[in-house]
Amino acid sequence: MMLVLDEDEIGILECIKEVQTERGFHIRDVIKKAKTGYGLSRSTVYEIVGYLEFHGLIKTNKAGNRELDPNIHYFVICPGCGKEVAENECVKDNGRAICEDCYLEGHQKIKFADPVAVRSKKLFRKQHGFEGTAGLTELQKEIYDFILTEGGATPEKTSKLFELTLQETMNQLAILRHCELLKWRKMGEEMYMVPFDS
Ligand SMILES: [Zn+2]
């Protein structure tokens, strides 16, 4: 059976990991941690500990104390995409456990309006003698050529055509913007990426 834990239950597990010693853990220490760290009440702690005991995550050791069984695995719901992920496959991000895809998606964002990036990109390209599309990846060249031919394209259209996620497309477009090969232009109600000197 697949055990899926919610946020409070994961919080309690984290508290237990912090207070547990080789002798096990005492529920009073968990209550203290859970109250200050997660704002959870004493009765919630008891309720969740009971639930975790029921599912075998917590057992009683030889000394008669409660102990976390590290060999039992559970799943968490990724707050980013709602997918069920094994606890040992998720990534901690700002105290939340999220799936790897959401983590990468969230950390790949490259800002468009980034004068420092534009300056360093320009300097880098100048030092390497890169002009036009020299020094770009094949994908970036293809996207640039596409927008050049079309005279402009929305990120949505570009992402469909190149079969990329919208975030990945935005990253690639941001790099092309930093190279001053493309820029934004509002056409009607929509934003298009157009050649920089158009
Ligand atoms: Zn996710």
Side-chain angles (χ1 to χ4, degrees):
M1 194 199 64
M2 198 165 100
L3 177 61
V4 182
L5 298 183
D6 69 19
E7 224 173 297
D8 286 353
E9 289 153 3
I10 293 160
I12 297 292
L13 279 180
E14 291 301 316
C15 294
I16 293 173
K17 282 179 198 161
E18 279 180 56
V19 301
Q20 181 160 263
T21 67
E22 67 276 13
R23 295 175 56 213
F25 69 89
H26 199 287
I27 194 133
R28 203 179 64 175
D29 300 323
V30 180
I31 291 170
K32 265 191 217 156
K33 271 261 179 274
K35 195 172 179 181
T36 51
Y38 297 87
L40 296 174
S41 72
R42 175 190 181 85
S43 59
T44 306
V45 174
Y46 271 106
E47 189 194 300
I48 291 175
V49 166
Y51 181 73
L52 298 175
E53 267 175 335
F54 176 78
H55 285 288
L57 263 87
I58 293 172
K59 55 179 190 188
T60 307
N61 64 19
K62 286 189 195 86
N65 299 321
R66 288 189 177 99
E67 190 179 75
L68 202 62
D69 187 344
N71 300 316
I72 294 192
H73 294 293
Y74 55 90
F75 288 77
V76 299
I77 303 276
C78 169
C81 65
K83 210 165 58 185
E84 283 160 357
V85 250
E87 121 277 347
N88 47 1
E89 277 170 22
C90 60
V91 189
K92 288 265 162 61
D93 187 38
N94 278 325
R96 300 187 315 169
I98 63 172
C99 79
E100 210 169 311
D101 290 342
C102 286
Y103 180 82
L104 289 177
E105 187 100 345
H107 287 263
Q108 247 174 8
K109 274 181 202 135
I110 300 171
K111 277 184 278 170
F112 273 90
D114 190 342
V116 178
V118 172
R119 237 179 296 136
S120 65
K121 200 77 179 173
K122 269 173 106 172
L123 189 67
F124 174 84
R125 287 169 60 79
K126 204 177 160 193
Q127 281 168 345
H128 289 78
F130 290 158
E131 267 181 56
T133 57
L136 296 178
T137 66
E138 281 311 306
L139 177 64
Q140 287 157 2
K141 279 182 198 166
E142 281 176 34
I143 293 175
Y144 177 64
D145 284 341
F146 163 68
I147 290 173
L148 216 56
T149 317
E150 292 278 299
T154 62
E156 288 77 13
K157 188 176 175 184
T158 312
S159 76
K160 269 201 202 106
L161 191 80
F162 288 89
E163 295 179 334
L164 301 168
T165 65
L166 192 55
Q167 185 58 60
E168 181 51 28
T169 308
M170 296 301 268
N171 286 345
Q172 299 302 334
L173 292 174
I175 292 165
L176 293 169
R177 170 66 189 83
H178 295 166
C179 296
E180 298 194 324
L181 291 167
L182 297 178
K183 64 182 176 191
W184 286 110
R185 181 176 291 157
K186 197 166 184 226
M187 293 188 191
E189 280 310 296
E190 282 193 288
M191 292 300 286
Y192 281 73
M193 285 307 279
V194 299
F196 194 77
D197 36 43
S198 67

